[in-house]
Amino acid sequence: MIRQPIITVNQRSYTLPRTPTVIVCIVGCEQDYLNQAVQAGVAPFFASLARKGTVLSGDCVMPSFTNPNNLSIVTGAPPSVHGICGNYFFDAQQNAEVLMNDARYLRAPTLLAEAAIAGAKVAVVTAKDKLRSLLGHRLQGICFSAEKADTATLADNGIDDLLRKVGMPLPSMYSAELSEFVFAAGVVLMESERPDLMYLSTTDYIQHKFAPGTEGANSFYAMMDRYLSRLDEGGAVIGITADHGMNAKTDSLGVPNIVFLQDELDRELGAGAARVLLPITDPYVVHHGALGSFATVYLGDGADPAQVARLIAALNGVEEVLDRQAACERFELPSDRIGDLVVLGHRLSVLGTSAAKHDLSGLTVPLRSHGGLSEQRVPLLFNRVLHDVPPGRLRNFDVFSLALNHVR
Protein backbone atom coordinates (compact mmCIF):
# COMPACT_ATOMS: atom_id res chain seq x y z
CA MET A 1 0.00 0.00 0.00
CA ILE A 2 1.30 3.45 -0.92
CA ARG A 3 1.90 5.54 2.18
CA GLN A 4 -0.07 8.80 2.12
CA PRO A 5 1.74 12.09 2.75
CA ILE A 6 1.58 13.50 6.27
CA ILE A 7 1.51 17.22 6.99
CA THR A 8 1.98 19.03 10.29
CA VAL A 9 -0.20 22.04 11.06
CA ASN A 10 -0.11 23.88 14.40
CA GLN A 11 1.88 21.02 15.93
CA ARG A 12 -0.64 18.36 14.87
CA SER A 13 -0.02 15.77 12.18
CA TYR A 14 -2.59 14.81 9.54
CA THR A 15 -2.52 12.09 6.91
CA LEU A 16 -3.73 13.50 3.61
CA PRO A 17 -6.79 11.57 2.39
CA ARG A 18 -6.67 8.80 -0.17
CA THR A 19 -10.48 8.85 -0.17
CA PRO A 20 -12.40 12.13 -0.61
CA THR A 21 -13.09 13.45 2.88
CA VAL A 22 -15.87 15.87 3.80
CA ILE A 23 -15.96 17.68 7.14
CA VAL A 24 -19.28 19.32 8.00
CA CYS A 25 -19.88 21.96 10.65
CA ILE A 26 -23.60 22.09 11.38
CA VAL A 27 -23.78 25.51 12.96
CA GLY A 28 -25.89 25.59 16.13
CA CYS A 29 -26.42 21.83 16.25
CA GLU A 30 -27.59 21.03 19.74
CA GLN A 31 -27.38 17.22 19.88
CA ASP A 32 -31.09 16.84 20.58
CA TYR A 33 -31.87 18.09 17.05
CA LEU A 34 -30.32 14.91 15.69
CA ASN A 35 -31.94 12.71 18.31
CA GLN A 36 -35.39 14.09 17.57
CA ALA A 37 -34.98 13.88 13.78
CA VAL A 38 -33.83 10.27 14.02
CA GLN A 39 -36.69 9.39 16.38
CA ALA A 40 -39.15 11.00 13.96
CA GLY A 41 -37.84 8.77 11.18
CA VAL A 42 -36.81 11.63 8.90
CA ALA A 43 -33.03 11.19 9.13
CA PRO A 44 -32.06 7.68 7.95
CA PHE A 45 -28.45 8.66 7.20
CA PHE A 46 -27.90 9.97 10.71
CA ALA A 47 -29.63 6.88 12.10
CA SER A 48 -27.27 4.63 10.13
CA LEU A 49 -24.16 6.06 11.78
CA ALA A 50 -24.74 4.03 14.94
CA ARG A 51 -24.54 0.85 12.83
CA LYS A 52 -21.86 1.56 10.27
CA GLY A 53 -19.99 4.56 11.61
CA THR A 54 -18.93 6.17 14.86
CA VAL A 55 -21.05 8.30 17.19
CA LEU A 56 -19.15 10.47 19.67
CA SER A 57 -19.50 13.87 21.26
CA GLY A 58 -17.05 16.56 22.30
CA ASP A 59 -16.72 20.10 23.53
CA CYS A 60 -16.63 23.19 21.38
CA VAL A 61 -14.33 26.06 22.28
CA MET A 62 -15.46 29.00 24.36
CA PRO A 63 -17.06 31.33 23.69
CA SER A 64 -19.51 29.01 21.97
CA PHE A 65 -19.89 31.24 18.91
CA THR A 66 -19.44 30.69 15.18
CA ASN A 67 -16.13 32.34 14.29
CA PRO A 68 -13.96 30.99 17.13
CA ASN A 69 -15.19 27.46 16.58
CA ASN A 70 -15.03 27.33 12.80
CA LEU A 71 -11.46 28.59 12.99
CA SER A 72 -10.61 26.09 15.71
CA ILE A 73 -11.99 23.30 13.54
CA VAL A 74 -9.92 24.24 10.48
CA THR A 75 -6.74 24.97 12.44
CA GLY A 76 -7.07 22.06 14.86
CA ALA A 77 -6.29 24.44 17.69
CA PRO A 78 -7.95 26.66 20.34
CA PRO A 79 -8.35 30.45 20.06
CA SER A 80 -5.13 31.04 22.01
CA VAL A 81 -3.33 29.68 18.94
CA HIS A 82 -5.36 31.07 16.02
CA GLY A 83 -6.42 34.33 17.69
CA ILE A 84 -10.11 34.39 16.72
CA CYS A 85 -11.99 34.64 20.02
CA GLY A 86 -15.35 36.04 18.92
CA ASN A 87 -17.34 37.37 16.03
CA TYR A 88 -16.61 40.83 17.39
CA PHE A 89 -13.91 42.34 19.61
CA PHE A 90 -12.34 45.58 20.80
CA ASP A 91 -9.31 46.41 18.67
CA ALA A 92 -7.04 48.50 20.89
CA GLN A 93 -4.98 49.68 17.91
CA GLN A 94 -8.07 51.16 16.27
CA ASN A 95 -9.71 52.04 19.61
CA ALA A 96 -12.91 50.60 18.15
CA GLU A 97 -15.19 47.58 18.32
CA VAL A 98 -14.74 45.66 15.07
CA LEU A 99 -15.82 42.46 13.36
CA MET A 100 -13.18 39.76 13.60
CA ASN A 101 -13.82 38.45 10.08
CA ASP A 102 -10.68 39.82 8.42
CA ALA A 103 -7.86 37.33 7.79
CA ARG A 104 -5.36 39.79 9.29
CA TYR A 105 -6.67 38.76 12.71
CA LEU A 106 -5.79 35.10 12.06
CA ARG A 107 -2.57 34.03 13.79
CA ALA A 108 -2.18 30.46 12.57
CA PRO A 109 -2.33 28.56 9.28
CA THR A 110 -5.33 26.42 8.44
CA LEU A 111 -5.22 22.74 7.67
CA LEU A 112 -7.15 23.53 4.48
CA ALA A 113 -4.48 25.85 3.10
CA GLU A 114 -1.62 23.58 4.15
CA ALA A 115 -3.28 20.53 2.58
CA ALA A 116 -3.61 22.42 -0.69
CA ILE A 117 0.06 23.45 -0.55
CA ALA A 118 0.91 19.76 -0.07
CA GLY A 119 -0.98 18.91 -3.28
CA ALA A 120 -4.49 18.06 -2.10
CA LYS A 121 -7.50 19.38 -3.99
CA VAL A 122 -9.44 21.43 -1.45
CA ALA A 123 -12.91 23.02 -1.51
CA VAL A 124 -14.66 25.17 1.10
CA VAL A 125 -18.33 26.22 1.12
CA THR A 126 -19.70 28.39 3.91
CA ALA A 127 -23.15 29.88 4.35
CA LYS A 128 -22.24 33.41 5.44
CA ASP A 129 -19.59 35.45 3.71
CA LYS A 130 -18.25 36.66 7.08
CA LEU A 131 -16.34 33.37 7.36
CA ARG A 132 -15.12 33.03 3.79
CA SER A 133 -11.97 35.15 4.04
CA LEU A 134 -10.94 33.45 7.30
CA LEU A 135 -11.61 29.90 6.13
CA GLY A 136 -10.04 30.60 2.75
CA HIS A 137 -6.92 32.36 4.04
CA ARG A 138 -4.00 31.46 1.75
CA LEU A 139 -6.07 28.65 0.25
CA GLN A 140 -5.32 27.68 -3.32
CA GLY A 141 -8.59 25.99 -4.19
CA ILE A 142 -12.33 26.52 -4.27
CA CYS A 143 -13.77 28.77 -1.57
CA PHE A 144 -17.10 30.62 -1.65
CA SER A 145 -20.14 31.49 0.43
CA ALA A 146 -23.78 30.75 -0.30
CA GLU A 147 -24.51 34.36 0.62
CA LYS A 148 -22.53 35.68 -2.35
CA ALA A 149 -22.65 32.70 -4.68
CA ASP A 150 -23.96 34.91 -7.48
CA THR A 151 -20.73 36.93 -7.58
CA ALA A 152 -18.21 34.07 -7.28
CA THR A 153 -15.48 34.10 -9.94
CA LEU A 154 -12.74 31.75 -11.03
CA ALA A 155 -10.11 34.31 -10.07
CA ASP A 156 -11.42 35.01 -6.58
CA ASN A 157 -13.22 31.80 -5.61
CA GLY A 158 -11.88 29.07 -7.86
CA ILE A 159 -15.30 28.58 -9.46
CA ASP A 160 -17.98 30.57 -11.25
CA ASP A 161 -21.54 30.27 -12.60
CA LEU A 162 -22.58 28.76 -9.27
CA LEU A 163 -26.31 29.38 -9.42
CA ARG A 164 -26.56 27.41 -12.64
CA LYS A 165 -24.23 24.66 -11.49
CA VAL A 166 -25.95 24.19 -8.14
CA GLY A 167 -29.42 24.61 -9.63
CA MET A 168 -30.73 26.94 -6.93
CA PRO A 169 -31.48 30.67 -6.84
CA LEU A 170 -29.46 32.88 -4.54
CA PRO A 171 -30.87 32.14 -1.06
CA SER A 172 -32.05 34.68 1.48
CA MET A 173 -29.75 35.31 4.44
CA TYR A 174 -32.58 34.43 6.81
CA SER A 175 -33.69 31.10 5.43
CA ALA A 176 -33.13 27.35 5.55
CA GLU A 177 -32.14 27.60 1.90
CA LEU A 178 -28.88 29.35 2.81
CA SER A 179 -27.67 26.15 4.45
CA GLU A 180 -29.27 23.97 1.79
CA PHE A 181 -27.21 25.80 -0.83
CA VAL A 182 -24.07 24.78 1.08
CA PHE A 183 -25.03 21.09 0.93
CA ALA A 184 -26.27 21.21 -2.64
CA ALA A 185 -23.02 22.87 -3.70
CA GLY A 186 -21.04 20.25 -1.77
CA VAL A 187 -22.75 17.45 -3.67
CA VAL A 188 -22.17 19.20 -7.00
CA LEU A 189 -18.50 19.73 -6.19
CA MET A 190 -18.05 16.12 -5.12
CA GLU A 191 -19.65 14.87 -8.34
CA SER A 192 -17.88 17.30 -10.66
CA GLU A 193 -14.57 18.33 -9.04
CA ARG A 194 -14.01 15.38 -6.68
CA PRO A 195 -11.97 17.31 -4.10
CA ASP A 196 -9.70 15.37 -1.77
CA LEU A 197 -10.78 17.49 1.17
CA MET A 198 -13.96 19.56 1.52
CA TYR A 199 -15.25 21.69 4.38
CA LEU A 200 -18.93 22.66 4.60
CA SER A 201 -20.24 25.14 7.18
CA THR A 202 -23.90 26.10 7.53
CA THR A 203 -25.85 28.81 9.37
CA ASP A 204 -27.87 28.51 12.57
CA TYR A 205 -30.90 30.51 11.46
CA ILE A 206 -33.18 27.48 11.81
CA GLN A 207 -31.80 26.50 15.23
CA HIS A 208 -32.40 30.04 16.50
CA LYS A 209 -36.01 29.77 15.30
CA PHE A 210 -37.03 26.19 16.00
CA ALA A 211 -36.56 23.92 19.00
CA PRO A 212 -35.52 20.26 18.55
CA GLY A 213 -38.34 18.02 17.39
CA THR A 214 -40.47 20.78 15.91
CA GLU A 215 -41.64 20.53 12.32
CA GLY A 216 -39.29 23.31 11.20
CA ALA A 217 -36.26 21.67 12.80
CA ASN A 218 -37.05 18.15 11.63
CA SER A 219 -37.63 19.36 8.08
CA PHE A 220 -34.24 21.10 8.12
CA TYR A 221 -32.40 18.01 9.36
CA ALA A 222 -34.25 15.82 6.87
CA MET A 223 -32.98 18.08 4.07
CA MET A 224 -29.45 17.81 5.41
CA ASP A 225 -29.77 14.04 5.73
CA ARG A 226 -30.65 13.68 2.03
CA TYR A 227 -27.53 15.54 0.87
CA LEU A 228 -25.26 13.72 3.31
CA SER A 229 -26.67 10.43 2.02
CA ARG A 230 -25.60 11.41 -1.51
CA LEU A 231 -22.07 12.22 -0.32
CA ASP A 232 -21.99 8.91 1.54
CA GLU A 233 -23.22 7.00 -1.50
CA GLY A 234 -20.50 8.71 -3.52
CA GLY A 235 -17.87 7.07 -1.33
CA ALA A 236 -16.77 10.05 0.73
CA VAL A 237 -15.51 9.79 4.29
CA ILE A 238 -17.73 12.17 6.28
CA GLY A 239 -17.03 13.78 9.64
CA ILE A 240 -19.71 15.92 11.26
CA THR A 241 -19.52 18.29 14.20
CA ALA A 242 -20.93 21.65 15.31
CA ASP A 243 -19.55 25.01 16.31
CA HIS A 244 -21.91 25.25 19.30
CA GLY A 245 -25.24 24.06 20.64
CA MET A 246 -28.41 26.11 21.16
CA ASN A 247 -30.80 26.69 24.04
CA ALA A 248 -33.98 28.56 24.82
CA LYS A 249 -33.20 31.80 26.65
CA THR A 250 -36.59 32.62 28.09
CA ASP A 251 -38.80 32.23 31.13
CA SER A 252 -41.67 29.73 31.23
CA LEU A 253 -43.91 32.12 29.27
CA GLY A 254 -41.41 32.66 26.45
CA VAL A 255 -40.22 36.11 27.60
CA PRO A 256 -36.47 36.62 27.00
CA ASN A 257 -34.28 36.45 30.12
CA ILE A 258 -31.85 39.30 29.44
CA VAL A 259 -29.19 40.76 31.72
CA PHE A 260 -28.40 44.24 30.37
CA LEU A 261 -24.88 44.45 31.72
CA GLN A 262 -24.02 47.93 30.46
CA ASP A 263 -27.12 49.40 32.07
CA GLU A 264 -26.29 47.66 35.35
CA LEU A 265 -22.67 48.82 35.35
CA ASP A 266 -23.53 52.37 34.37
CA ARG A 267 -26.02 52.51 37.20
CA GLU A 268 -23.56 51.20 39.80
CA LEU A 269 -20.24 52.62 38.56
CA GLY A 270 -21.26 55.63 36.50
CA ALA A 271 -21.35 56.06 32.73
CA GLY A 272 -18.03 55.37 31.03
CA ALA A 273 -16.48 53.39 33.88
CA ALA A 274 -16.85 50.09 32.03
CA ARG A 275 -17.45 48.92 28.46
CA VAL A 276 -19.43 45.74 27.79
CA LEU A 277 -18.68 43.96 24.54
CA LEU A 278 -20.76 41.10 23.10
CA PRO A 279 -18.67 38.76 20.92
CA ILE A 280 -21.83 37.26 19.35
CA THR A 281 -22.36 40.50 17.40
CA ASP A 282 -22.18 40.21 13.62
CA PRO A 283 -24.06 41.75 10.68
CA TYR A 284 -26.89 39.20 10.99
CA VAL A 285 -28.68 39.81 14.29
CA VAL A 286 -32.37 39.67 13.33
CA HIS A 287 -32.83 36.17 14.76
CA HIS A 288 -30.95 36.70 18.05
CA GLY A 289 -30.83 40.45 18.62
CA ALA A 290 -27.05 40.27 19.30
CA LEU A 291 -27.85 38.48 22.56
CA GLY A 292 -25.75 35.53 23.73
CA SER A 293 -24.51 33.97 26.95
CA PHE A 294 -20.94 35.30 26.86
CA ALA A 295 -19.72 38.85 27.34
CA THR A 296 -16.43 40.55 28.07
CA VAL A 297 -16.02 43.72 30.12
CA TYR A 298 -13.32 46.37 29.74
CA LEU A 299 -12.75 48.45 32.86
CA GLY A 300 -11.61 52.04 33.05
CA ASP A 301 -8.67 53.28 35.12
CA GLY A 302 -9.28 53.00 38.83
CA ALA A 303 -11.93 50.31 38.67
CA ASP A 304 -11.37 47.31 40.94
CA PRO A 305 -11.83 44.13 38.85
CA ALA A 306 -12.63 42.00 41.90
CA GLN A 307 -15.28 44.42 43.10
CA VAL A 308 -16.89 44.68 39.67
CA ALA A 309 -16.79 40.90 39.31
CA ARG A 310 -18.69 40.50 42.59
CA LEU A 311 -21.23 43.07 41.45
CA ILE A 312 -21.86 41.24 38.18
CA ALA A 313 -21.89 37.78 39.79
CA ALA A 314 -24.74 38.87 42.05
CA LEU A 315 -27.01 39.63 39.07
CA ASN A 316 -29.82 37.17 38.41
CA GLY A 317 -29.07 35.25 35.22
CA VAL A 318 -25.27 35.39 35.51
CA GLU A 319 -23.64 31.98 35.95
CA GLU A 320 -20.01 32.92 36.42
CA VAL A 321 -17.52 35.80 36.21
CA LEU A 322 -13.80 35.27 35.55
CA ASP A 323 -10.90 37.69 35.38
CA ARG A 324 -8.81 37.82 32.22
CA GLN A 325 -6.09 35.44 33.41
CA ALA A 326 -8.53 32.83 34.69
CA ALA A 327 -10.64 33.01 31.51
CA CYS A 328 -7.61 32.69 29.24
CA GLU A 329 -6.29 29.69 31.14
CA ARG A 330 -9.61 27.90 31.37
CA PHE A 331 -10.90 28.62 27.87
CA GLU A 332 -7.58 28.90 25.97
CA LEU A 333 -8.17 32.49 24.83
CA PRO A 334 -5.72 35.13 23.54
CA SER A 335 -5.20 37.53 26.45
CA ASP A 336 -4.82 40.62 24.26
CA ARG A 337 -8.23 40.18 22.66
CA ILE A 338 -10.58 39.93 25.62
CA GLY A 339 -11.53 42.37 28.35
CA ASP A 340 -10.65 42.53 32.03
CA LEU A 341 -13.59 40.28 32.90
CA VAL A 342 -15.46 37.48 31.15
CA VAL A 343 -19.13 36.97 32.04
CA LEU A 344 -21.09 33.76 31.41
CA GLY A 345 -24.86 33.69 31.31
CA HIS A 346 -27.03 31.00 32.83
CA ARG A 347 -28.38 28.30 30.49
CA LEU A 348 -31.71 30.14 30.21
CA SER A 349 -30.28 33.68 30.11
CA VAL A 350 -28.51 35.99 27.67
CA LEU A 351 -26.32 39.02 28.20
CA GLY A 352 -26.91 42.39 26.58
CA THR A 353 -25.35 45.85 26.71
CA SER A 354 -28.07 48.51 27.12
CA ALA A 355 -31.76 47.83 26.58
CA ALA A 356 -31.94 50.76 24.16
CA LYS A 357 -29.27 49.22 21.90
CA HIS A 358 -30.93 45.87 21.22
CA ASP A 359 -33.62 45.65 18.56
CA LEU A 360 -35.83 42.71 19.49
CA SER A 361 -38.46 43.36 16.82
CA GLY A 362 -37.11 40.50 14.72
CA LEU A 363 -37.76 37.96 17.45
CA THR A 364 -40.98 36.53 16.13
CA VAL A 365 -40.54 33.36 18.20
CA PRO A 366 -39.18 32.81 21.74
CA LEU A 367 -35.48 33.65 21.92
CA ARG A 368 -32.97 30.86 21.38
CA SER A 369 -29.25 31.56 21.52
CA HIS A 370 -25.80 30.35 22.62
CA GLY A 371 -22.38 31.44 23.81
CA GLY A 372 -22.13 29.90 27.28
CA LEU A 373 -21.03 26.62 28.79
CA SER A 374 -24.51 25.16 28.35
CA GLU A 375 -23.99 25.20 24.58
CA GLN A 376 -20.53 23.60 24.67
CA ARG A 377 -21.38 19.94 24.10
CA VAL A 378 -21.61 19.06 20.39
CA PRO A 379 -21.77 15.93 18.22
CA LEU A 380 -18.78 14.21 16.62
CA LEU A 381 -20.15 11.82 14.00
CA PHE A 382 -18.48 9.76 11.28
CA ASN A 383 -19.74 7.48 8.53
CA ARG A 384 -16.79 5.16 9.06
CA VAL A 385 -15.60 3.15 12.04
CA LEU A 386 -12.77 4.97 13.81
CA HIS A 387 -9.79 3.07 15.21
CA ASP A 388 -7.44 3.92 18.07
CA VAL A 389 -9.31 7.04 19.13
CA PRO A 390 -7.16 8.82 21.73
CA PRO A 391 -8.53 8.62 25.29
CA GLY A 392 -9.61 11.70 27.18
CA ARG A 393 -11.52 14.83 26.31
CA LEU A 394 -12.55 15.25 22.68
CA ARG A 395 -13.09 18.65 21.08
CA ASN A 396 -14.91 19.69 17.94
CA PHE A 397 -11.54 20.72 16.51
CA ASP A 398 -10.42 17.07 16.66
CA VAL A 399 -12.78 16.24 13.80
CA PHE A 400 -10.20 16.54 11.00
CA SER A 401 -7.65 14.48 12.93
CA LEU A 402 -10.19 11.76 13.64
CA ALA A 403 -11.40 11.60 10.03
CA LEU A 404 -7.93 11.69 8.49
CA ASN A 405 -5.86 9.72 10.99
CA HIS A 406 -8.26 7.16 12.48
CA VAL A 407 -10.18 5.79 9.47
CA ARG A 408 -8.63 2.70 7.89
Side-chain angles (χ1 to χ4, degrees), residues 267-287:
R267 182 163 41 252
E268 295 294 330
L269 306 177
R275 177 202 295 263
V276 176
L277 188 140
L278 306 176
I280 194 174
T281 307
D282 68 11
Y284 321 102
V285 299
V286 169
H287 48 302

Side-chain angles (χ1 to χ4, degrees), residues 215-287:
E215 183 177 350
N218 281 350
S219 175
F220 182 72
Y221 281 85
M223 171 275 293
M224 197 183 308
D225 192 273
R226 291 191 294 272
Y227 287 107
L228 290 170
S229 292
R230 290 179 62 181
L231 291 170
D232 180 53
E233 291 164 1
V237 172
I238 303 172
I240 302 165
T241 190
D243 58 345
H244 56 76
M246 188 75 66
N247 271 305
K249 303 292 182 178
T250 67
D251 65 15
S252 58
L253 297 181
V255 177
N257 285 322
I258 307 172
V259 182
F260 289 110
L261 279 178
Q262 191 69 63
D263 287 342
E264 296 285 352
L265 293 176
D266 287 351
R267 182 163 41 252
E268 295 294 330
L269 306 177
R275 177 202 295 263
V276 176
L277 188 140
L278 306 176
I280 194 174
T281 307
D282 68 11
Y284 321 102
V285 299
V286 169
H287 48 302

